[in-house]
Amino acid sequence: MKRLTLLILYILTCTWGFVQAQDGVVDSLKRLTVTSQEDTAKVNLLISLGQAYEYSLPDSAAYFYGQARELSEKLNYPAGIVRYNTNYISILLAKGELDAALLLCLEALQLCEQYRLSDLQMASALANTGLVYQSKEDFTKAIEYDLQAIPLLEKLKRYDMLSTINGNLMDIYRKLKQPDKALEFARRSLDDARQIDNPQMTGAALINLGVAYQSLHQWKEALQYQREGYDIGLHINDIGIQMIALINIGDISVKTNAEPDDYIATYQKVLPLAESFSHHEAKYQALYGIAYGTFAKRRYAEAEAQAKAILEAASEDNIKNISLNAITLLRDIANATGRHALAQQYALSGDSIETQLHGEELQKNIQELETKYDVEKNRAEVLEQKLLVEQKSIETQQQRFWLIVSAVFIILLLLLMLAVFRSYRHRQLLNKKAMEAMQAEHESVRLKSLLEGQSQERQRIAQEMHDDMGTELTSLLYLIRSLQEKNPTSEKLLRSTQSLTKKMNEIIWAMNPEQDTLENLIAYMRQHIAETLDNAGLEYAFAMTDPLPDMPLKQVFRRNIYLVTKEAVHNIVRHAHASRVNIDIQVTGELRISIRDNGVGISPEKTNRFGNGLKNMQQRMTQIKGTFEITSGGGGTCAAMRAPLNV
């Protein structure tokens, strides 16, 4: 049976942690990113905001990480780019995009070397590169980068990061069939975890040490450390530690020919843990262990039914190693009950799955070679580009010399001609130009004063609403939440206050002249649409013009566009019975937004179900010389709006 290690493959950030996505923390970070200047501090704020969303709203996390990258490039801030790379690869690894993650790791290493960044940033970049290679099962490269990171982390006394890297090295050497090396690094991982007194990390290290002893067939020591890890998991209520420790304890019991009832009871404890953890492979391994124990007790009919159920579920989830185990057990049951022809059929099915597994392994090796080729090709292209840049620089310097000589001659000639012309026209135009200049200056001062007055008044109103009403509403929220006894009235009051706070924030955003840009409008819309759809449990995807043009917008344009898109999304949540929403935002000479769902659709005669909402949406688009229409067909509804940007 397959042994499981508790390798929590951390993304090694420079702060070695993340911000919890609590409402108060997130709101504070959002306000700071809006009001802060575009400097390196804002880069770190955007990274922290992305970390807050990473485990709940990965799409929003990716957006804020991208903003941090853009600002870092604008500021020429290499440490910010490295922080972006370090955090964004966690999203790529979760999606299985290993090649893209590897390119970011290599870029981070290059920046660390080029700009001589801190030892901690270099160690994090090295460890993350080793992690990606380990995920790609290129173990030689993974070991190379992990071993380079260890001396830097020992110098910094970062025992948390050391424990994780040594645990990863233990798993690598176990897979390379070097159990002595695996045991050495497992012991190091446990020593490092105990240096910082971290129960979760200590529990993981104990389980990994037990697995290392299992590889050496030292069952007594293996069982001891698995049980110690399980006890820690119980103490800190860590489901993952409990689940994997129990699976390994059951595996040891099977290998040491313990009583079937003992390891059946162990595997039965795994099932509720695997269900709560949504870990299908652990669930199927536990079910397989129970079926194997039933077979060992010679209850063949019951064991056969269990094995068939496991095979069906594992095949549906495409977990081939579990499917192979189930087929092997069915073969053994058929042989034990004298059905040798059936046993032969199961043996052939098992050979087919083994062939598929070997084929997948071969495909991985081919992909690794292709990735290495692409990386080397990219490096060669970078060197070639540098040579071309240097060559062009020399040619540009030569051309610049002759251009300067020519420009000086032309300027002297133009100055001479200009002097003659001005002497001829000076007296005729002097009075006229003076008068026009005075009028233009007076008009410019008047318009500037008017615009500044309007902007200051909007800023003052928004600030007073934020400072006075915002403070009072926040206090009211905390007072309501502090009520000891929950009742319907307090719940309604809480929801009304939260709704009022959200609407006030929207009004403040609409009035704030600092938000009068297309980029800020799209960012604000994207953030609120994502939150609404995530809260409703709907899948969604954004597509938009990139990059967005830098242009100012009027307040009424921003507010109307935002309210129409907000109402369209709310209608989908309330009425569409949809499971997915696609939002497409395109900017050409005008702003085009389409919001399409896969719901039940709507016929033209039933549009009155929205009441005055549809009329209000059409009126708002008319105010900004735009259009709004709803179409239905093809399994869903599409709300489309368009408006000229020069309104």
Side-chain angles (χ1 to χ4, degrees):
M1 190 180 297
K2 180 180 177 182
R3 289 184 293 274
L4 294 183
T5 57
L6 193 62
L7 292 171
I8 305 172
L9 301 178
Y10 295 105
I11 303 301
L12 304 182
T13 66
C14 297
T15 57
W16 194 251
F18 60 89
V19 180
Q20 294 290 340
Q22 299 173 349
D23 292 340
V25 175
V26 171
D27 289 341
S28 299
L29 290 173
K30 287 179 181 176
R31 287 194 294 269
L32 287 173
T33 55
V34 171
T35 58
S36 62
Q37 297 180 349
E38 291 197 338
D39 53 17
T40 58
K42 185 171 183 178
V43 172
N44 295 325
L45 282 174
L46 289 167
I47 291 290
S48 297
L49 194 53
Q51 290 172 335
Y53 278 116
E54 187 168 313
Y55 293 90
S56 56
L57 299 172
D59 186 68
S60 297
Y63 172 76
F64 288 115
Y65 286 153
Q67 292 289 306
R69 168 91 189 211
E70 290 179 9
L71 182 55
S72 297
E73 291 175 345
K74 180 179 178 181
L75 298 173
N76 192 24
Y77 180 41
I81 297 175
V82 171
R83 285 206 68 194
Y84 159 81
N85 291 5
T86 300
N87 285 275
Y88 191 65
I89 63 170
S90 63
I91 295 178
L92 294 176
L93 287 179
K95 294 179 178 179
E97 298 178 10
L98 302 182
D99 292 340
L102 179 59
L103 290 176
L104 287 183
C105 287
L106 295 176
E107 181 188 28
L109 285 173
Q110 181 182 356
L111 291 172
C112 287
E113 293 176 356
Q114 182 178 353
Y115 294 97
R116 297 184 179 181
L117 301 182
S118 69
D119 286 346
L120 182 57
Q121 286 182 305
M122 173 60 82
S124 299
L126 288 167
N128 287 334
T129 305
L131 171 61
V132 175
Y133 275 119
Q134 183 176 352
S135 301
K136 293 170 69 67
E137 297 188 356
D138 186 346
F139 297 134
T140 302
K141 284 286 188 181
I143 292 171
E144 174 187 342
Y145 285 100
D146 284 344
L147 292 180
Q148 289 182 60
I150 286 176
L152 295 174
L153 296 173
E154 288 176 342
K155 175 183 174 183
L156 297 169
K157 296 183 178 180
R158 291 302 302 263
Y159 297 111
D160 49 355
M161 298 170 73
L162 282 168
S163 179
T164 299
I165 291 178
N166 284 323
N168 292 348
L169 285 168
M170 168 266 166
D171 186 58
I172 291 172
Y173 280 112
R174 183 179 64 83
K175 291 176 179 177
L176 291 174
K177 309 298 182 185
Q178 299 183 39
D180 292 331
K181 279 275 192 181
L183 180 62
E184 174 188 346
F185 283 103
R187 287 171 172 165
R188 292 185 186 180
S189 177
L190 180 58
D191 291 341
D192 292 328
R194 285 172 170 166
Q195 287 280 352
I196 56 174
D197 192 24
N198 184 316
Q200 185 182 33
M201 193 165 285
T202 302
L206 284 166
I207 290 176
N208 289 344
L209 183 56
V211 170
Y213 276 113
Q214 284 177 253
S215 299
L216 289 166
H217 295 176
Q218 297 183 23
W219 308 115
K220 180 180 178 181
E221 293 83 355
L223 189 60
Q224 171 192 340
Y225 288 113
Q226 294 294 346
R227 285 175 174 167
E228 287 184 23
Y230 176 70
D231 290 340
I232 289 179
L234 278 177
H235 180 70
I236 64 176
N237 196 28
D238 189 306
I239 294 175
I241 290 178
Q242 296 175 50
M243 178 180 68
I244 296 179
L246 286 171
I247 289 176
N248 290 331
I249 290 170
D251 185 25
I252 294 168
S253 298
V254 171
K255 292 290 174 57
T256 56
N257 296 317
E259 287 295 325
D261 287 335
D262 292 341
Y263 56 81
I264 287 175
T266 300
Y267 287 126
Q268 285 174 338
K269 291 180 182 179
V270 174
L271 294 177
L273 301 176
E275 288 287 353
S276 64
F277 209 61
S278 297
H279 198 303
H280 290 182
E281 185 171 359
K283 173 184 174 181
Y284 297 150
Q285 282 194 254
L287 289 172
Y288 171 76
I290 293 170
Y292 186 85
T294 306
F295 169 71
K297 295 175 70 174
R298 299 184 180 181
R299 289 156 47 184
Y300 298 132
E302 183 180 351
E304 184 173 17
Q306 293 171 343
K308 286 181 178 179
I310 296 167
L311 177 60
E312 181 180 356
S315 298
E316 183 177 345
D317 289 339
N318 196 30
I319 305 179
K320 291 186 174 61
N321 62 304
I322 300 294
S323 298
L324 181 60
N325 288 342
I327 288 175
T328 302
L329 181 56
L330 287 169
R331 182 202 64 192
D332 294 342
I333 294 171
N335 278 325
T337 55
R339 295 174 292 171
H340 302 297
L342 180 60
Q344 183 63 28
Q345 293 178 12
Y346 282 130
L348 292 174
S349 298
D351 291 342
S352 176
I353 293 178
E354 281 191 316
T355 301
Q356 293 178 30
L357 289 171
H358 291 318
E360 290 176 359
E361 184 176 353
L362 178 60
Q363 185 64 30
K364 285 182 180 179
N365 293 334
I366 293 173
Q367 290 176 353
E368 288 175 10
L369 292 174
E370 290 176 348
T371 301
K372 291 178 182 179
Y373 170 76
D374 290 339
V375 170
E376 294 301 327
K377 182 180 178 181
N378 288 337
R379 288 178 177 175
E381 288 176 353
V382 170
L383 291 174
E384 182 179 358
Q385 189 66 27
K386 287 182 178 180
L387 291 174
L388 289 174
V389 169
E390 292 177 358
Q391 183 178 356
K392 287 182 179 180
S393 177
I394 295 173
E395 294 175 355
T396 301
Q397 290 178 358
Q398 294 175 347
Q399 293 174 356
R400 189 179 300 163
F401 171 77
W402 292 109
L403 284 173
I404 292 173
V405 172
S406 301
V408 170
F409 176 77
I410 293 173
I411 290 171
L412 291 175
L413 181 61
L414 290 174
L415 288 174
L416 179 61
M417 293 173 64
L418 181 61
V420 173
F421 176 77
R422 290 186 65 184
S423 176
Y424 175 75
R425 296 284 295 172
H426 179 68
R427 290 185 179 181
Q428 294 182 356
L429 300 178
L430 183 60
N431 293 333
K432 182 179 179 180
K433 287 184 177 180
M435 183 63 68
E436 290 175 351
M438 290 177 62
Q439 291 176 348
E441 183 178 359
H442 176 73
E443 183 65 18
S444 175
V445 170
R446 188 183 70 82
L447 291 174
K448 184 177 181 181
S449 299
L450 179 60
L451 292 174
E452 287 180 352
Q454 292 176 349
S455 177
Q456 290 172 0
E457 185 63 12
R458 286 172 60 191
Q459 183 70 34
R460 182 188 66 79
I461 294 172
Q463 185 67 40
E464 289 182 359
M465 289 180 67
H466 180 274
D467 292 342
D468 297 333
M469 294 180 66
T471 302
E472 294 300 324
L473 286 171
T474 302
S475 300
L476 182 56
L477 277 173
Y478 279 113
L479 286 173
I480 296 171
R481 288 173 177 168
S482 65
L483 290 176
Q484 294 296 325
E485 181 178 352
K486 296 294 183 179
N487 57 72
T489 302
S490 64
E491 292 293 335
K492 290 180 181 178
L493 184 57
L494 177 60
R495 288 195 298 270
S496 298
T497 307
Q498 290 174 334
S499 176
L500 180 59
T501 302
K502 185 175 182 180
K503 291 178 180 178
M504 188 196 73
N505 287 334
E506 292 176 357
I507 294 172
I508 293 173
W509 169 80
M511 295 184 65
N512 191 346
E514 296 180 358
Q515 303 296 327
D516 287 344
T517 65
L518 177 62
E519 182 179 5
N520 285 330
L521 169 63
I522 300 302
Y524 194 78
M525 286 168 46
R526 179 190 176 104
Q527 175 185 335
H528 284 268
I529 290 173
E531 289 180 357
T532 300
L533 294 177
D534 275 307
N535 290 335
L538 301 184
E539 296 180 0
Y540 59 92
F542 284 95
M544 65 177 62
T545 300
D546 187 21
L548 292 171
D550 184 12
M551 62 172 59
L553 298 175
K554 293 183 180 179
Q555 178 188 358
V556 66
F557 185 97
R558 290 192 302 118
R559 178 168 175 78
N560 283 359
I561 289 291
Y562 170 72
L563 291 176
V564 172
T565 57
K566 176 184 175 182
E567 180 67 18
V569 172
H570 283 186
N571 284 337
I572 291 172
V573 173
R574 291 196 300 267
H575 306 295
H577 303 293
S579 62
R580 182 171 180 84
V581 181
N582 293 315
I583 304 98
D584 183 61
I585 303 174
Q586 299 297 326
V587 180
T588 53
E590 60 184 9
L591 177 62
R592 297 185 180 182
I593 302 175
S594 69
I595 304 175
R596 180 181 295 276
D597 65 74
N598 64 347
V600 297
I602 177 172
S603 58
E605 62 271 20
K606 294 183 180 179
T607 55
N608 61 353
R609 75 181 185 188
F610 297 107
N612 293 324
L614 182 58
K615 293 180 180 179
N616 291 338
M617 295 162 78
Q618 291 172 335
Q619 289 174 358
R620 288 189 181 280
M621 294 305 299
T622 301
Q623 288 177 7
I624 57 175
K625 299 181 181 180
T627 61
F628 175 83
E629 62 179 354
I630 290 181
T631 57
S632 183
T637 302
C638 178
M641 61 204 77
R642 55 194 297 176
L645 289 169
N646 58 356
V647 175

